[in-house]
PDB file of all heavy atoms in Angstrom:
ATOM      1  N   SER A   1      11.159  -3.858  -3.483  1.00 78.00           N
ATOM      2  CA  SER A   1      11.135  -3.707  -2.038  1.00 78.00           C
ATOM      3  C   SER A   1      10.337  -2.464  -1.639  1.00 78.00           C
ATOM      4  O   SER A   1      10.666  -1.347  -2.052  1.00 78.00           O
ATOM      5  CB  SER A   1      12.560  -3.614  -1.497  1.00 78.00           C
ATOM      6  OG  SER A   1      12.547  -3.486  -0.099  1.00 78.00           O
ATOM      7  N   GLY A   2       9.250  -2.679  -0.859  1.00 80.00           N
ATOM      8  CA  GLY A   2       8.433  -1.556  -0.402  1.00 80.00           C
ATOM      9  C   GLY A   2       7.484  -1.007  -1.439  1.00 80.00           C
ATOM     10  O   GLY A   2       6.798  -0.011  -1.190  1.00 80.00           O
ATOM     11  N   THR A   3       7.425  -1.652  -2.613  1.00 85.00           N
ATOM     12  CA  THR A   3       6.533  -1.186  -3.678  1.00 85.00           C
ATOM     13  C   THR A   3       5.224  -1.969  -3.627  1.00 85.00           C
ATOM     14  O   THR A   3       5.237  -3.197  -3.655  1.00 85.00           O
ATOM     15  CB  THR A   3       7.178  -1.376  -5.066  1.00 85.00           C
ATOM     16  OG1 THR A   3       8.406  -0.649  -5.099  1.00 85.00           O
ATOM     17  CG2 THR A   3       6.247  -0.876  -6.162  1.00 85.00           C
ATOM     18  N   PRO A   4       4.081  -1.285  -3.532  1.00 85.00           N
ATOM     19  CA  PRO A   4       2.807  -2.013  -3.460  1.00 85.00           C
ATOM     20  C   PRO A   4       2.360  -2.494  -4.832  1.00 85.00           C
ATOM     21  O   PRO A   4       2.637  -1.855  -5.860  1.00 85.00           O
ATOM     22  CB  PRO A   4       1.832  -0.970  -2.908  1.00 85.00           C
ATOM     23  CG  PRO A   4       2.402   0.344  -3.353  1.00 85.00           C
ATOM     24  CD  PRO A   4       3.891   0.167  -3.370  1.00 85.00           C
ATOM     25  N   SER A   5       1.701  -3.637  -4.844  1.00 81.00           N
ATOM     26  CA  SER A   5       1.055  -4.087  -6.077  1.00 81.00           C
ATOM     27  C   SER A   5      -0.071  -3.112  -6.402  1.00 81.00           C
ATOM     28  O   SER A   5      -0.488  -2.328  -5.543  1.00 81.00           O
ATOM     29  CB  SER A   5       0.492  -5.494  -5.878  1.00 81.00           C
ATOM     30  OG  SER A   5      -0.595  -5.461  -4.973  1.00 81.00           O
ATOM     31  N   PRO A   6      -0.603  -3.113  -7.637  1.00 77.00           N
ATOM     32  CA  PRO A   6      -1.695  -2.186  -7.974  1.00 77.00           C
ATOM     33  C   PRO A   6      -2.877  -2.302  -7.016  1.00 77.00           C
ATOM     34  O   PRO A   6      -3.442  -1.284  -6.583  1.00 77.00           O
ATOM     35  CB  PRO A   6      -2.067  -2.600  -9.403  1.00 77.00           C
ATOM     36  CG  PRO A   6      -0.796  -3.157  -9.967  1.00 77.00           C
ATOM     37  CD  PRO A   6      -0.125  -3.850  -8.831  1.00 77.00           C
ATOM     38  N   ALA A   7      -3.261  -3.543  -6.672  1.00 79.00           N
ATOM     39  CA  ALA A   7      -4.398  -3.720  -5.759  1.00 79.00           C
ATOM     40  C   ALA A   7      -4.056  -3.189  -4.375  1.00 79.00           C
ATOM     41  O   ALA A   7      -4.882  -2.535  -3.710  1.00 79.00           O
ATOM     42  CB  ALA A   7      -4.791  -5.195  -5.677  1.00 79.00           C
ATOM     43  N   ALA A   8      -2.818  -3.457  -3.918  1.00 83.00           N
ATOM     44  CA  ALA A   8      -2.397  -2.982  -2.601  1.00 83.00           C
ATOM     45  C   ALA A   8      -2.333  -1.455  -2.570  1.00 83.00           C
ATOM     46  O   ALA A   8      -2.711  -0.821  -1.578  1.00 83.00           O
ATOM     47  CB  ALA A   8      -1.042  -3.578  -2.243  1.00 83.00           C
ATOM     48  N   LYS A   9      -1.868  -0.862  -3.658  1.00 85.00           N
ATOM     49  CA  LYS A   9      -1.767   0.604  -3.725  1.00 85.00           C
ATOM     50  C   LYS A   9      -3.138   1.250  -3.585  1.00 85.00           C
ATOM     51  O   LYS A   9      -3.304   2.237  -2.854  1.00 85.00           O
ATOM     52  CB  LYS A   9      -1.123   1.013  -5.051  1.00 85.00           C
ATOM     53  CG  LYS A   9      -0.942   2.519  -5.193  1.00 85.00           C
ATOM     54  CD  LYS A   9      -0.284   2.876  -6.527  1.00 85.00           C
ATOM     55  CE  LYS A   9      -0.119   4.382  -6.646  1.00 85.00           C
ATOM     56  NZ  LYS A   9       0.477   4.771  -7.945  1.00 85.00           N
ATOM     57  N   LYS A  10      -4.126   0.674  -4.255  1.00 84.00           N
ATOM     58  CA  LYS A  10      -5.486   1.216  -4.182  1.00 84.00           C
ATOM     59  C   LYS A  10      -6.022   1.147  -2.745  1.00 84.00           C
ATOM     60  O   LYS A  10      -6.617   2.110  -2.233  1.00 84.00           O
ATOM     61  CB  LYS A  10      -6.410   0.452  -5.126  1.00 84.00           C
ATOM     62  CG  LYS A  10      -7.838   0.980  -5.188  1.00 84.00           C
ATOM     63  CD  LYS A  10      -8.636   0.223  -6.239  1.00 84.00           C
ATOM     64  CE  LYS A  10     -10.026   0.806  -6.417  1.00 84.00           C
ATOM     65  NZ  LYS A  10     -10.846   0.662  -5.211  1.00 84.00           N
ATOM     66  N   ILE A  11      -5.801   0.017  -2.082  1.00 86.00           N
ATOM     67  CA  ILE A  11      -6.280  -0.159  -0.712  1.00 86.00           C
ATOM     68  C   ILE A  11      -5.589   0.810   0.233  1.00 86.00           C
ATOM     69  O   ILE A  11      -6.224   1.446   1.092  1.00 86.00           O
ATOM     70  CB  ILE A  11      -6.071  -1.616  -0.261  1.00 86.00           C
ATOM     71  CG1 ILE A  11      -6.952  -2.555  -1.077  1.00 86.00           C
ATOM     72  CG2 ILE A  11      -6.363  -1.773   1.229  1.00 86.00           C
ATOM     73  CD1 ILE A  11      -6.667  -4.026  -0.843  1.00 86.00           C
ATOM     74  N   LEU A  12      -4.270   0.965   0.087  1.00 87.00           N
ATOM     75  CA  LEU A  12      -3.533   1.880   0.956  1.00 87.00           C
ATOM     76  C   LEU A  12      -3.978   3.324   0.756  1.00 87.00           C
ATOM     77  O   LEU A  12      -4.074   4.096   1.720  1.00 87.00           O
ATOM     78  CB  LEU A  12      -2.033   1.746   0.686  1.00 87.00           C
ATOM     79  CG  LEU A  12      -1.384   0.418   1.119  1.00 87.00           C
ATOM     80  CD1 LEU A  12       0.080   0.383   0.704  1.00 87.00           C
ATOM     81  CD2 LEU A  12      -1.511   0.216   2.622  1.00 87.00           C
ATOM     82  N   GLU A  13      -4.269   3.698  -0.487  1.00 85.00           N
ATOM     83  CA  GLU A  13      -4.747   5.056  -0.752  1.00 85.00           C
ATOM     84  C   GLU A  13      -6.106   5.285  -0.107  1.00 85.00           C
ATOM     85  O   GLU A  13      -6.379   6.360   0.442  1.00 85.00           O
ATOM     86  CB  GLU A  13      -4.818   5.300  -2.263  1.00 85.00           C
ATOM     87  CG  GLU A  13      -3.454   5.433  -2.920  1.00 85.00           C
ATOM     88  CD  GLU A  13      -3.544   5.551  -4.436  1.00 85.00           C
ATOM     89  OE1 GLU A  13      -4.647   5.312  -4.983  1.00 85.00           O
ATOM     90  OE2 GLU A  13      -2.516   5.871  -5.067  1.00 85.00           O
ATOM     91  N   GLU A  14      -6.988   4.272  -0.169  1.00 82.00           N
ATOM     92  CA  GLU A  14      -8.304   4.395   0.441  1.00 82.00           C
ATOM     93  C   GLU A  14      -8.204   4.505   1.961  1.00 82.00           C
ATOM     94  O   GLU A  14      -8.997   5.201   2.604  1.00 82.00           O
ATOM     95  CB  GLU A  14      -9.172   3.190   0.066  1.00 82.00           C
ATOM     96  CG  GLU A  14      -9.588   3.164  -1.397  1.00 82.00           C
ATOM     97  CD  GLU A  14     -10.298   1.874  -1.776  1.00 82.00           C
ATOM     98  OE1 GLU A  14     -10.309   0.938  -0.939  1.00 82.00           O
ATOM     99  OE2 GLU A  14     -10.839   1.795  -2.895  1.00 82.00           O
ATOM    100  N   LYS A  15      -7.202   3.837   2.550  1.00 82.00           N
ATOM    101  CA  LYS A  15      -7.021   3.866   3.996  1.00 82.00           C
ATOM    102  C   LYS A  15      -6.104   5.007   4.440  1.00 82.00           C
ATOM    103  O   LYS A  15      -5.871   5.186   5.644  1.00 82.00           O
ATOM    104  CB  LYS A  15      -6.461   2.524   4.476  1.00 82.00           C
ATOM    105  CG  LYS A  15      -7.409   1.357   4.210  1.00 82.00           C
ATOM    106  CD  LYS A  15      -6.763  -0.001   4.441  1.00 82.00           C
ATOM    107  CE  LYS A  15      -6.575  -0.316   5.893  1.00 82.00           C
ATOM    108  NZ  LYS A  15      -6.136  -1.727   6.109  1.00 82.00           N
ATOM    109  N   ASN A  16      -5.592   5.748   3.446  1.00 84.00           N
ATOM    110  CA  ASN A  16      -4.702   6.879   3.717  1.00 84.00           C
ATOM    111  C   ASN A  16      -3.472   6.446   4.517  1.00 84.00           C
ATOM    112  O   ASN A  16      -3.094   7.061   5.509  1.00 84.00           O
ATOM    113  CB  ASN A  16      -5.450   7.993   4.464  1.00 84.00           C
ATOM    114  CG  ASN A  16      -4.712   9.323   4.401  1.00 84.00           C
ATOM    115  OD1 ASN A  16      -3.948   9.580   3.465  1.00 84.00           O
ATOM    116  ND2 ASN A  16      -4.926  10.163   5.394  1.00 84.00           N
ATOM    117  N   ILE A  17      -2.860   5.351   4.067  1.00 87.00           N
ATOM    118  CA  ILE A  17      -1.662   4.821   4.707  1.00 87.00           C
ATOM    119  C   ILE A  17      -0.508   4.905   3.724  1.00 87.00           C
ATOM    120  O   ILE A  17      -0.625   4.461   2.573  1.00 87.00           O
ATOM    121  CB  ILE A  17      -1.877   3.360   5.151  1.00 87.00           C
ATOM    122  CG1 ILE A  17      -3.007   3.267   6.189  1.00 87.00           C
ATOM    123  CG2 ILE A  17      -0.596   2.765   5.724  1.00 87.00           C
ATOM    124  CD1 ILE A  17      -3.348   1.856   6.599  1.00 87.00           C
ATOM    125  N   ALA A  18       0.611   5.468   4.160  1.00 86.00           N
ATOM    126  CA  ALA A  18       1.795   5.576   3.301  1.00 86.00           C
ATOM    127  C   ALA A  18       2.427   4.207   3.130  1.00 86.00           C
ATOM    128  O   ALA A  18       2.576   3.445   4.097  1.00 86.00           O
ATOM    129  CB  ALA A  18       2.802   6.557   3.904  1.00 86.00           C
ATOM    130  N   SER A  19       2.820   3.878   1.903  1.00 84.00           N
ATOM    131  CA  SER A  19       3.425   2.572   1.638  1.00 84.00           C
ATOM    132  C   SER A  19       4.736   2.402   2.396  1.00 84.00           C
ATOM    133  O   SER A  19       5.138   1.287   2.717  1.00 84.00           O
ATOM    134  CB  SER A  19       3.641   2.392   0.131  1.00 84.00           C
ATOM    135  OG  SER A  19       4.477   3.422  -0.382  1.00 84.00           O
ATOM    136  N   ALA A  20       5.409   3.529   2.700  1.00 82.00           N
ATOM    137  CA  ALA A  20       6.686   3.443   3.408  1.00 82.00           C
ATOM    138  C   ALA A  20       6.518   2.888   4.820  1.00 82.00           C
ATOM    139  O   ALA A  20       7.477   2.395   5.423  1.00 82.00           O
ATOM    140  CB  ALA A  20       7.346   4.822   3.473  1.00 82.00           C
ATOM    141  N   SER A  21       5.283   2.966   5.358  1.00 83.00           N
ATOM    142  CA  SER A  21       5.055   2.487   6.720  1.00 83.00           C
ATOM    143  C   SER A  21       4.629   1.026   6.754  1.00 83.00           C
ATOM    144  O   SER A  21       4.355   0.479   7.822  1.00 83.00           O
ATOM    145  CB  SER A  21       3.970   3.346   7.402  1.00 83.00           C
ATOM    146  OG  SER A  21       2.717   3.181   6.748  1.00 83.00           O
ATOM    147  N   VAL A  22       4.567   0.376   5.580  1.00 87.00           N
ATOM    148  CA  VAL A  22       4.118  -1.009   5.504  1.00 87.00           C
ATOM    149  C   VAL A  22       5.285  -1.904   5.091  1.00 87.00           C
ATOM    150  O   VAL A  22       6.011  -1.591   4.148  1.00 87.00           O
ATOM    151  CB  VAL A  22       2.959  -1.153   4.484  1.00 87.00           C
ATOM    152  CG1 VAL A  22       2.483  -2.603   4.411  1.00 87.00           C
ATOM    153  CG2 VAL A  22       1.803  -0.227   4.850  1.00 87.00           C
ATOM    154  N   THR A  23       5.453  -3.005   5.795  1.00 86.00           N
ATOM    155  CA  THR A  23       6.497  -3.968   5.457  1.00 86.00           C
ATOM    156  C   THR A  23       5.932  -4.990   4.485  1.00 86.00           C
ATOM    157  O   THR A  23       4.934  -5.659   4.788  1.00 86.00           O
ATOM    158  CB  THR A  23       7.005  -4.686   6.720  1.00 86.00           C
ATOM    159  OG1 THR A  23       7.531  -3.708   7.631  1.00 86.00           O
ATOM    160  CG2 THR A  23       8.088  -5.702   6.366  1.00 86.00           C
ATOM    161  N   GLY A  24       6.529  -5.101   3.330  1.00 86.00           N
ATOM    162  CA  GLY A  24       6.051  -6.043   2.332  1.00 86.00           C
ATOM    163  C   GLY A  24       6.501  -7.461   2.609  1.00 86.00           C
ATOM    164  O   GLY A  24       7.655  -7.679   2.996  1.00 86.00           O
ATOM    165  N   THR A  25       5.599  -8.395   2.424  1.00 87.00           N
ATOM    166  CA  THR A  25       5.937  -9.817   2.635  1.00 87.00           C
ATOM    167  C   THR A  25       5.998 -10.577   1.318  1.00 87.00           C
ATOM    168  O   THR A  25       6.224 -11.791   1.314  1.00 87.00           O
ATOM    169  CB  THR A  25       4.894 -10.487   3.549  1.00 87.00           C
ATOM    170  OG1 THR A  25       3.604 -10.442   2.918  1.00 87.00           O
ATOM    171  CG2 THR A  25       4.813  -9.790   4.905  1.00 87.00           C
ATOM    172  N   GLY A  26       5.775  -9.882   0.211  1.00 82.00           N
ATOM    173  CA  GLY A  26       5.812 -10.540  -1.083  1.00 82.00           C
ATOM    174  C   GLY A  26       7.230 -10.760  -1.567  1.00 82.00           C
ATOM    175  O   GLY A  26       8.219 -10.494  -0.858  1.00 82.00           O
TER     176      GLY A  26
END
């Protein structure tokens, strides 16, 4: 819950967005 996949983590880091602010649908 709330954990990004490796690909998602890379994208969020590039966009400088904290994973805690994203709701996961997986």
Side-chain angles (χ1 to χ4, degrees):
S1 181
T3 301
S5 69
K9 182 179 180 182
K10 183 175 185 295
I11 294 172
L12 291 176
E13 288 175 349
E14 290 173 351
K15 297 169 74 171
N16 197 26
I17 298 176
S19 59
S21 65
V22 180
T23 300
T25 62

